[in-house]
Each structure stands twice: as C-alpha cells, then as structure tokens.
Amino acid sequence: MATIGDVAQEAGVSRSTASYALSGKRPISEDVRRRVLEAAEALAYTPNAGARALATAQTKVLGLLARFHEDEFAPAMMQYILGVTNTARDLGYDTLLVTEADGVRALRRITDSRMVDGVVLMNVAQDDARLPVLRAAPQPGALVGLPDDCSGLDVFDLDFEEAGRVMVDHLHRLGHRELILVSQPEHVVERGGAYVWRLRDAALERARQLGVTLHAVYGESRQPAAGRLLNESLDAHPAATGLLINNEAAVAALPTVAHARGLRVPEDLSVIGRHSADFAATFSLPYSFVESAPDRLGSMAVRQLVRRVESPAARKEPYVVRFISPELVSLGSTAHPRPRSS
Amino acid sequence: MATIGDVAQEAGVSRSTASYALSGKRPISEDVRRRVLEAAEALAYTPNAGARALATAQTKVLGLLARFHEDEFAPAMMQYILGVTNTARDLGYDTLLVTEADGVRALRRITDSRMVDGVVLMNVAQDDARLPVLRAAPQPGALVGLPDDCSGLDVFDLDFEEAGRVMVDHLHRLGHRELILVSQPEHVVERGGAYVWRLRDAALERARQLGVTLHAVYGESRQPAAGRLLNESLDAHPAATGLLINNEAAVAALPTVAHARGLRVPEDLSVIGRHSADFAATFSLPYSFVESAPDRLGSMAVRQLVRRVESPAARKEPYVVRFISPELVSLGSTAHPRPRSS
DNA sequence: CTGAAAGCGCTTACAG
DNA sequence: CTGAAAGCGCTTACAG
C-alpha cells in the first residue's frame, strides 16, 4: 500500500508538502499541488487510519452501544442503528457497533483505547451504569433515552409524557370515557425503562383531569404472551372503548387478537399505538400511532455529538436535553365510541 | 490518559520491559512483572488503539458491510448483525458497521485505510460489485450469501436448494400433490438475490420428480402487497393444499390472510416457511419452517475470517463454500391434505 | 511557498 | 532477564 512518502517521492516533494497539498492546510503552488494529487491518484493513496489517529488524536469513528435484552423486541432496534450509522457517515464518521452484554466494560474499552471520538448510548436506563463511565471519558457522549441524571451528556428522546397526553386527548375528544393503556412489562420498568411510566403517568394524570377512566396494565414483550395479555385486558375491561398501546410486541399481536375476537377497529374499538412508521409498514399495522421516530432520534444524537467532537467551542456549550414532539399519525383506527359489551 | 511510558516510569523499568511484561512475549522476572502489572492497574492503563495498530498492523476490528434495500425486510437483518458482532467480540474483535448505500466505496475506504483486519459482506448478490474490491484488498473476506464467483473468499449460506427439496419432500410424504411456492419479488432476483431461484428451482425439480404440481410465484416484500399477493395466489390455485413461503414479509402476512379467508392451518392448508426461529417468535408465527439460522451464519463467517486474520497458515488454506443444512422445525402447521375447494 | 524534524504511543528486533 | 533504539505512517510546529 502506498504511504505519504511514496506519494511525496512520486511527486518529487517532501512528505510534509505532500501532506499539506492533500489537506489544503497551507498554501501550495498550483504546480506542486497538481503533481501531488496526481501522484496520490496514481498510487491509489489512502491515509493509514491508525497513523492518522495517532498523529491527530482523532479517529473519525463513533461508538454506538446498543443493548439487547432477551425480553425486548429486537426489530425495533434496527431503525435506531440505521439513524446513527447513516448520519455518522454523512458527517464523515464510521460507526463501531458494540452489542456485548457488559456495556460498562465495552464502553471503557473503546473510550480508554481511543478507538472512538465520541459515543452514542442507546436504550438508556434511568440509573444506567454506563453513564458515570461515559461522563468520565475524554470523549463526548450522547444518549438516546432519558436517564435520571442528564449531567455532562446530551440527551435525546421522544416526549413520552406528551405522547401519553396526546393519546388520551385524542380519544377523549372523540367521546371516549374508558380506555385501556398497555405498557411494556413491569420488569422493563424495574430495569430502568423510564419511558414506560413517563407515558403512563402522564396519560393517567390527563385522564383524571378529563374525567376519563384509564386502566393501565403492564404488557408482555414476547409472543404469544403479548397477545394473551391483550385478550385478558379486553376481557377485564369490557366497557373500555379505546386501547392505547405503548408496546411494540403488543401492537404487533393486536391484528390477530382483534380478528379472533371478532373485534372491528375502529367500529368496536379505537386504537392508538406508539411506534415508528417503519414498524407499522413492516408489520402492516392498520392503527393510528404516535410516531416514535427512531431514525430521527439516532440522527439528532449523532449531529450533536459530532458538533462537540469537532468544535472546542461547542464542547463548552451547556448540555441539552431534547425531546421530539410526538406526532399522531392517523390511519383511521379511531372513531366515536360505541359500547363494546352488549 | 496513561501511556506505556507512564507505566514504565511508575514501575521503574524501561518502556520495552513494560510492554513485554504486559504482553508476556518474553520472559520477565516475577518481581518486575508484578510491578508493571500493578502500575498498569494503578494508572488504569489501556493501550492506545491507533498506536498499537500502527505498530502491529492489526486493528482488532472487523468490517461488516450490510445493505438495506428499500424493498427488503429490514427486521431480518438484525439477527445476522448480532451473529457477527457477538462472535467477533468473543474472539477479541470489535465491529465497524457500514450501512452506506455505496458499498464499493465504503469497502475501499475501510480496507485501504487499514481500519479493519478483515471484512464480512452481508446480503451478497450473484454478481456483487463489492467482490472484486474485496478480493483485491489485503485483508481476508467472508461472505454471507452465495455469489456466482466464490474465488478468493470464504462463503457461507443456507443450502437453499436443499431447503426447497425438504419442503417439497415433507408435504409430498404427507400426501400433498399440488403446492404453491411464494418467493421474493422478481426484482430481488434481478438484483442478484440467487437464494430466490436456488430454492425455487430445486423445489420445482423435486416436485417434477415426485409428480407434484408446484405453482411458483413471485411474492411481495412490503405490506400490504405481500398479503394481497398471498390472496391472489390462493385464489388462482384453489386445488393447492400446501403453501411454501420463502419470503419473510409474506409469511408475516399469512396469519391475517388466513383469518380473513377462514382458512384453518393445517386442516385446510399446510404451511412451511423459510425464516429464523427468532423471526417466528417475534411475529408469533405458528408455522413450521426451515430455519435460516442468520446468527449462526454470521457467527461462522466471523470464525473463519478470524482464523485467516490470525494465522498465516490458515491464510493459505483453500477457500471454503460452506452451506448450513436446512433444518425443518415443526410447529404443527402441516398435515395430510384435504381438498380446499368444495 | 517548501523542507527537515519532532512527535503521536505503541512493538520488536538488536545488544548486552 | 532488561534496556536503548528504530520504526510503524501520519501531522504540524519550526525554519527558511
């Protein structure tokens, strides 16, 4: 493989001149510049990443830490990852994807060894053990997901509180007075998945204000349990006319459950999910939903991260906590209520 | 951050001794070794990845090139990726995930710059433009997916021919004499997705040998088209008693379609899919299927790749083309046939 | 506008 | 068993 020395020799200049001609970091005579560029072209010169990283203390690589819990719905993760990798590339960065179970260890490894210029943490828990490690690291960090303590890091998440209110408001406005909200399983909350209760508590609060009865239940995250729990919930609350689902596995199971029960949507039951448009298309879900915008969140996290990486000024700016406003995408699965039980 | 020089100083030895004590690559007195290890521990020393890569010409990073076509079913990809990243980590490697559209450019970038020690290509097409680039690269490469020309690379794939035969055999043995096979869309074939016709042609051949009528149709890869096409196929061949599905989107749509048609499986229709167990669980699919083993394929590709990376001897070995034998996982969706049409 | 030199942080022959 | 030195391939002050 050609080195900068080969290029310099081929162009008949010094290595520093070759380097400057390629980077444009100082004035170079037109003639020399041309010869260097031609030589680089002829030799198919590409700078050695390790050498450059060593000299510049920049790797042009971002770390992406994703966690996969047995009880979580893996398909939803792909969109977040693509949001990160594609945006990173647009900004000139490659992405080191780390999926190992021990996130703390992994984070130490990639930051201490200077493999990455910055880190995006996905699936952040309220009391995430990776956060202190990331704060102590020399690289900046961005989170997707809202922890209890946001200090020292940029945080991006869907506004789950507002999502809960939007769902309740929408059905209340249509005349519904009794709703069911299916969340993630309880142990997701226990593990620190704050988005579960953020949406739920805001929905409950709003329901109370509006005089709406809201039955909040924990869902399941695997099949067929997710479908079974839907059935139980519908059985338990026969007077409910609206169903809110903050749980990808549950909403994926709903078409089958509705069919089996002979339940028509929205005639017999109004439904609003909380997932992504891509998810809805993939699973062919005919339900209105609050867009969770995984690719946009990943993209936003990367943009902010790269700003901090590249600008010492940006590095000093106050940290941000930015929420994406929930957008209700209507697929016609809500209507005025009609009592379900005869 | 502490460097090897800091460690050496702290331990009162030279940098080379510190390095050797840490790597164990030459005999070190017990006393010195202990002092070095303590110093490294105390200073939380981690080698700088760029410096090490420069000195050793090894990055301990593997490249993973994944492609996402608009018309492909993204959720299936996550399992392949996890197979690669998890196995890589087990073997001491991190994974650079590259998803950009221009795979040729991306491959050039990561190989020419020596960012990676080896590359796994996913979603390989028959006449994949990335292959010549990978062959010319100094790093070894492994493929998931079978191209026309396998030279110079290790290739791993499901034995789709055998999968087609297994499906036909199984239903023939149960007494079925007319089957429908739903494949991927035609343009997936045009783009070079050989697995489509590999399974189909083998199934057709076997059906002919057995005197079974097999209607092979191209499917759709998005909803709701996938479901619609299922309906059309069932309408077009009312006497067919068995359905073979080599298409994730189609099999995901089948529960809804079957429900809508009042079709009981396996009483009215026997069904065999070709997908992964994880996919079946995620989508709650109650159909027997030929396991496509995405994580195992990813894992196998990485293991072979790392062998070549680490051993000059292995580097010289002949290249392999290794097929995973299709395993038929029964979920009870096949039975003796009963005429569908009255 | 250009070049010689130092330095980034490692590893590993070469000496002793 | 240990150390001084060279070298991996870059970038960037320092000189001119």
Side-chain angles (χ1 to χ4, degrees), chain A residues 3-337:
Chain A
T3 71
I4 187 96
D6 299 326
V7 172
Q9 195 171 347
E10 176 82 10
V13 298
S14 72
R15 298 195 306 156
S16 59
T17 298
S19 177
Y20 282 119
L22 257 17
S23 70
K25 286 192 182 170
R26 79 177 182 193
I28 298 283
S29 74
E30 195 40 46
D31 177 51
V32 167
R33 142 165 283 129
R34 192 183 40 69
R35 288 200 332 258
V36 170
L37 292 184
E38 280 175 10
E41 174 77 14
L43 299 173
Y45 169 70
T46 308
N48 179 295
R52 176 172 274 182
L54 187 56
T56 64
Q58 278 209 29
T59 63
K60 288 290 180 180
V61 174
L62 302 179
L64 170 55
L65 263 75
R67 307 197 291 176
F68 293 84
H69 299 289
E70 263 312 305
D71 53 5
E72 265 173 4
F73 201 63
M77 186 62 85
M78 197 70 243
Q79 297 303 317
Y80 286 96
I81 293 177
L82 287 173
V84 168
T85 57
N86 290 330
T87 301
R89 181 88 301 271
D90 287 346
L91 299 177
Y93 288 77
D94 276 299
T95 304
L96 201 72
L97 174 63
V98 181
T99 60
E100 68 188 282
D102 187 345
V104 168
R105 221 174 93 98
L107 185 53
R108 281 231 176 78
R109 172 163 43 80
I110 68 173
T111 55
D112 284 355
S113 67
R114 298 292 201 283
M115 298 179 83
V116 298
D117 294 337
V119 176
V120 176
L121 252 48
M122 303 279 254
N123 217 328
V124 172
Q126 285 186 261
D127 184 24
D128 200 307
R130 301 172 299 179
L131 300 186
V133 178
L134 188 50
R135 286 194 192 96
Q139 299 96 336
L143 313 183
V144 175
L146 178 67
D148 284 337
D149 176 2
C150 294
S151 64
L153 301 160
D154 293 310
V155 179
F156 300 87
D157 205 357
L158 179 68
D159 187 341
F160 280 93
E161 275 94 353
E162 184 61 17
R165 288 188 288 265
V166 164
M167 288 171 143
V168 171
D169 281 349
H170 181 81
L171 290 186
H172 172 259
R173 217 175 296 124
L174 286 170
H176 295 260
R177 294 299 176 262
E178 183 168 348
L179 310 174
I180 300 171
L181 166 62
V182 176
S183 302
Q184 301 288 335
E186 187 163 11
H187 51 98
V188 172
V189 181
E190 285 160 5
R191 206 171 48 218
Y195 65 99
V196 178
W197 59 255
R198 282 164 57 209
L199 187 148
R200 184 197 57 198
D201 290 358
L204 282 169
E205 167 73 11
R206 177 57 55 96
R208 186 150 31 78
Q209 292 167 354
L210 297 172
V212 169
T213 303
L214 179 64
H215 307 286
V217 303
Y218 289 113
E220 295 283 348
S221 54
R222 300 291 294 182
Q223 311 295 358
R228 198 183 322 123
L229 189 123
L230 275 182
N231 266 315
E232 292 170 6
S233 302
L234 290 167
D235 286 340
H237 308 292
T241 56
L243 181 60
L244 311 178
I245 309 189
N246 180 28
N247 177 331
E248 271 98 350
V251 78
L254 184 54
T256 304
V257 168
H259 250 300
R261 298 177 70 98
L263 215 52
R264 291 164 308 162
V265 174
E267 292 84 349
D268 304 320
L269 183 69
S270 286
V271 175
I272 306 180
R274 193 281 310 149
H275 48 263
S276 72
D278 193 272
F279 187 86
T282 296
F283 285 73
S284 194
L285 299 177
Y287 311 121
S288 302
F289 60 97
V290 171
E291 168 68 59
S292 57
D295 49 349
R296 235 177 95 212
L297 279 169
S299 181
M300 286 171 70
V302 168
R303 283 179 203 288
Q304 174 72 353
L305 186 62
V306 168
R307 282 193 61 231
R308 293 217 189 256
V309 166
E310 299 190 340
S311 151
R315 203 105 170 203
K316 301 292 166 210
E317 290 173 11
Y319 296 99
V320 305
V321 178
R322 208 156 282 160
F323 293 111
I324 288 191
S325 296
E327 185 194 350
L328 181 59
V329 179
S330 175
L331 294 184
S333 67
T334 62
H336 297 294

Side-chain angles (χ1 to χ4, degrees), chain A residues 1 46-47 49 61 68 73 75 78 85-86 89 94-97 99-100 109 112-114 223 281-284, chain B residues 1 46-47 49 68 73 75 78 85-86 89 94-97 99-100 109 112-114 223 281-284:
Chain A
M1 221 61 245
T46 308
V61 174
F68 293 84
F73 201 63
M78 197 70 243
T85 57
N86 290 330
R89 181 88 301 271
D94 276 299
T95 304
L96 201 72
L97 174 63
T99 60
E100 68 188 282
R109 172 163 43 80
D112 284 355
S113 67
R114 298 292 201 283
Q223 311 295 358
T282 296
F283 285 73
S284 194
Chain B
M1 221 63 246
T46 308
F68 293 84
F73 202 65
M78 196 71 241
T85 57
N86 289 331
R89 180 89 303 271
D94 275 298
T95 305
L96 201 72
L97 173 64
T99 60
E100 68 187 285
R109 173 163 42 78
D112 285 355
S113 67
R114 298 291 202 285
Q223 312 294 0
T282 297
F283 285 72
S284 195

Side-chain angles (χ1 to χ4, degrees), chain B residues 307-323:
Chain B
R307 281 193 62 230
R308 292 217 190 258
V309 166
E310 299 190 340
S311 151
R315 203 106 169 201
K316 299 295 166 206
E317 290 173 11
Y319 296 98
V320 305
V321 178
R322 207 155 284 161
F323 293 110

Side-chain angles (χ1 to χ4, degrees), chain B:
Chain B
M1 221 63 246
T3 71
I4 187 97
D6 298 329
V7 173
Q9 195 171 346
E10 176 82 11
V13 298
S14 72
R15 298 195 306 154
S16 59
T17 298
S19 177
Y20 283 118
L22 257 16
S23 70
K25 286 192 183 170
R26 80 176 182 192
I28 298 283
S29 73
E30 195 39 47
D31 176 50
V32 167
R33 139 165 286 129
R34 191 183 40 70
R35 288 201 332 260
V36 170
L37 293 184
E38 280 175 9
E41 174 76 16
L43 299 172
Y45 169 71
T46 308
N48 179 294
R52 174 172 275 182
L54 187 56
T56 63
Q58 277 209 31
T59 62
K60 288 291 181 178
V61 174
L62 302 179
L64 171 55
L65 264 75
R67 308 198 291 178
F68 293 84
H69 298 288
E70 262 311 305
D71 54 6
E72 266 172 4
F73 202 65
M77 185 63 84
M78 196 71 241
Q79 297 303 318
Y80 287 96
I81 294 177
L82 286 175
V84 169
T85 57
N86 289 331
T87 302
R89 180 89 303 271
D90 285 347
L91 300 177
Y93 289 76
D94 275 298
T95 305
L96 201 72
L97 173 64
V98 182
T99 60
E100 68 187 285
D102 187 345
V104 169
R105 221 173 93 98
L107 186 52
R108 282 230 176 77
R109 173 163 42 78
I110 68 173
T111 55
D112 285 355
S113 67
R114 298 291 202 285
M115 297 179 83
V116 297
D117 294 337
V119 177
V120 176
L121 254 48
M122 303 278 254
N123 217 326
V124 172
Q126 283 187 263
D127 185 25
D128 200 307
R130 300 171 300 179
L131 300 186
V133 178
L134 187 50
R135 286 194 194 95
Q139 299 96 336
L143 314 182
V144 175
L146 178 68
D148 284 337
D149 177 3
C150 293
S151 63
L153 301 161
D154 293 308
V155 179
F156 300 87
D157 204 359
L158 180 68
D159 187 341
F160 280 94
E161 276 93 353
E162 185 60 19
R165 288 187 288 265
V166 164
M167 289 170 144
V168 171
D169 281 347
H170 182 82
L171 290 186
H172 172 261
R173 217 173 297 126
L174 286 169
H176 295 260
R177 293 300 176 262
E178 182 169 349
L179 309 173
I180 301 172
L181 167 62
V182 176
S183 302
Q184 301 289 333
E186 189 163 10
H187 51 99
V188 171
V189 181
E190 285 160 4
R191 206 171 50 216
Y195 65 101
V196 178
W197 61 255
R198 281 165 55 208
L199 188 149
R200 185 198 55 200
D201 290 359
L204 282 168
E205 167 73 12
R206 177 57 55 97
R208 185 149 35 77
Q209 292 169 352
L210 297 173
V212 170
T213 302
L214 179 64
H215 307 286
V217 303
Y218 289 113
E220 296 282 348
S221 53
R222 299 293 293 182
Q223 312 294 0
R228 198 182 323 121
L229 189 124
L230 275 182
N231 267 315
E232 292 169 9
S233 303
L234 291 167
D235 288 341
H237 307 292
T241 55
L243 181 60
L244 310 178
I245 309 189
N246 181 26
N247 177 330
E248 272 99 350
V251 77
L254 184 56
T256 305
V257 168
H259 251 299
R261 298 176 70 100
L263 215 52
R264 291 164 308 161
V265 174
E267 292 85 349
D268 305 320
L269 184 69
S270 285
V271 175
I272 306 179
R274 193 281 310 148
H275 48 265
S276 71
D278 192 90
F279 187 85
T282 297
F283 285 72
S284 195
L285 299 177
Y287 311 122
S288 302
F289 61 97
V290 172
E291 168 67 58
S292 57
D295 48 349
R296 234 177 95 211
L297 280 168
S299 180
M300 285 171 69
V302 168
R303 282 179 202 288
Q304 175 72 352
L305 186 62
V306 168
R307 281 193 62 230
R308 292 217 190 258
V309 166
E310 299 190 340
S311 151
R315 203 106 169 201
K316 299 295 166 206
E317 290 173 11
Y319 296 98
V320 305
V321 178
R322 207 155 284 161
F323 293 110
I324 287 191
S325 296
E327 184 195 350
L328 181 58
V329 180
S330 174
L331 295 184
S333 66
T334 64
H336 297 293
R338 209 169 58 179
R340 263 176 58 216
S341 52
S342 52

